[in-house]
Amino acid sequence: MATARKRPRPDEDTQAECPFTVSHPDPNERDKKAKRRRQESEDQAMPKLSLQVSPFSPMGKFKDPNNNMDRYYQIHPYQKWMDMTRYNSFVLNGVKYYSEGFIFVANNSTIERQKNPGEAQQSRQKSDDDWVARILEIRASDEHHVYARVYWMYWPDELPQGTQDGKKSVRGRQSYHGQNELIASNHMDVINVVSVTAKATVHQWDESNEDEIQQALYWRQAFDIRSMELSSALPRCKCNRPENPDNQLINCSNSECRKWLHDDCLVHDALVKTFKRLGAHTPHKPARVKTEELEGGQRPLSPSESGAAQTAQQSIDVKPEGQQTIKLGDVESSGSTAKAENRTIPIVTGPKRKGRPRKSELAEASNTKSYEGLFSAVINDTSPPVVEIRDLRENVTGGVKTWTEPVYCLLCSSEIQ
């Protein structure tokens, strides 16, 4: 079972001293030990084991449907912690912070940037920013010794190796995590409040609310430090990947579908179809639309009508796959009473192959980006939306290099309006 590990404190010259640590004993094992100790000494008081009810209720689920992220904990040294007065708030540098509120907490990276403000900014991850925590409890012995028991909020970059995300074992930020996204956890610590840098505003995102827009810090998933498991996120699109709120989604206009589709999935689908049609050497030539009206405004006669030319092929009675002959039915020729003889023609087949490909093989083929370096595409936010395709093949002449095509739903195949 994974155990919570205290986040490393800042270096010695900048550290905010905190003499308290947190442990999470198994309540069942503790009861057995307590019974033995009572038998040995009735006078020695046992440290109290407390239950922290989780302030986080994720919309998604864990593998264990009864998991509520509540944790038993114990503060050490226990008596020193209990001797301090409990408060609802504290004031630091003129700012008032409340229990149950979110805070930014300094770490080594932020302290280093404050010490060297003139240094050039290098590319960094969100985890290099201040840590974010939720205050659970505030205790103090005097104005110089004020401490907060907190639950840490994780930046996605901080997810450790072996994190379980559904059926996958992952580490760090995933493709669906937004830039301002945090992950709630039951990772508990006690900090000295002088390391608090500012208030934080963090909202819970309800993914089922399609009108909700995330403009500040938010969380939707929770991380259970005991099982190293992430709660689920709402799947979207044909690929069943969750939504990244920083990227565009397109809603299918078919009233019987109305599914949300990833922009990149629609682009990939359009490029796969384009490569299948044009390959590496065929130029794109837009189809010409005939606008000329027929003479006299008459429609052309069908082959079965008198005076029509016999241009259509005979119909074929197709038998199920695996049979090696096709029977041509008796078809009357126009203007003749003679019937064609029943005859069979052989089907030319290639080498024998296995049956239908596995779903994994189909998925692998559909995910192959054979078009890379040959075509590119973007979704234009018009009404209706269209995909703009650009031909990148320098060795192909003729045709057009940029064109637009309708956008089709990946699930119901309807054109999106």
Side-chain angles (χ1 to χ4, degrees), residues 60-270:
K61 304 298 181 185
F62 292 100
K63 289 181 181 177
D64 180 0
N66 297 318
N67 187 348
N68 53 17
M69 293 185 64
D70 297 349
R71 289 198 82 178
Y72 285 97
Y73 71 94
Q74 203 170 71
I75 306 296
H76 308 279
Y78 172 75
Q79 198 57 50
K80 185 175 181 178
W81 175 259
M82 295 305 296
D83 287 344
M84 293 192 297
T85 304
R86 188 169 181 174
Y87 293 89
N88 292 323
S89 63
F90 65 89
V91 178
L92 179 65
N93 298 325
V95 180
K96 195 169 188 178
Y97 299 88
Y98 292 90
S99 183
E100 301 301 322
F102 290 95
I103 53 175
F104 287 109
V105 181
N107 58 35
N108 286 340
S109 298
T110 54
I111 291 173
E112 193 64 31
R113 289 200 300 274
Q114 291 170 1
K115 290 166 61 178
N116 302 284
E119 289 189 359
Q121 291 288 334
Q122 298 180 349
S123 61
R124 53 191 176 89
Q125 296 180 322
K126 273 289 188 181
S127 54
D128 294 327
D129 291 340
D130 283 347
W131 289 327
V132 182
R134 178 162 179 163
I135 300 174
L136 303 172
E137 182 182 7
I138 300 167
R139 286 183 180 265
S141 57
D142 56 51
E143 64 269 25
H144 301 293
H145 300 86
V146 184
Y147 305 95
R149 184 169 59 87
V150 300
Y151 263 165
W152 291 112
M153 306 292 289
Y154 278 60
W155 293 109
D157 310 288
E158 298 177 301
L159 289 174
Q161 181 73 43
T163 297
Q164 294 299 309
D165 186 6
K167 297 181 179 179
K168 298 186 300 181
S169 178
V170 302
R171 176 183 182 180
R173 180 177 295 273
Q174 303 303 298
S175 61
Y176 60 84
H177 287 137
Q179 283 301 305
N180 292 327
E181 184 159 2
L182 291 163
I183 297 170
S185 84
N186 53 3
H187 182 168
M188 188 185 295
D189 237 341
V190 175
I191 64 171
N192 190 320
V193 300
V194 299
S195 61
V196 175
T197 60
K199 287 183 177 181
T201 301
V202 183
H203 300 292
Q204 183 176 5
W205 176 29
D206 180 2
E207 294 178 275
S208 62
N209 184 353
E210 297 170 353
D211 297 325
E212 188 173 350
I213 299 174
Q214 299 307 316
Q215 297 177 337
L217 295 178
Y218 64 92
W219 71 275
R220 57 174 154 174
Q221 289 179 290
F223 178 58
D224 190 340
I225 194 71
R226 297 166 297 186
S227 60
M228 301 282 285
E229 183 187 358
L230 278 174
S231 62
S232 61
L234 184 65
R236 299 286 195 184
C237 193
K238 183 179 180 179
C239 65
N240 285 324
R241 287 184 293 129
E243 172 185 356
N244 182 329
D246 298 338
N247 299 332
Q248 180 177 338
L249 286 184
I250 294 181
N251 188 221
C252 177
S253 54
N254 181 358
S255 60
E256 297 181 359
C257 180
R258 305 298 296 177
K259 298 295 184 182
W260 287 95
L261 309 166
H262 294 117
D263 184 287
D264 58 330
C265 289
L266 292 167
V267 166
H268 173 72
D269 181 67

Side-chain angles (χ1 to χ4, degrees), residues 1 37 83 119 137 150 254 265 293 342 359 394 414:
M1 178 180 292
R37 288 177 181 175
D83 287 344
E119 289 189 359
E137 182 182 7
V150 300
N254 181 358
C265 289
E293 294 186 2
N342 289 339
K359 289 184 178 180
E394 296 180 355
S414 300

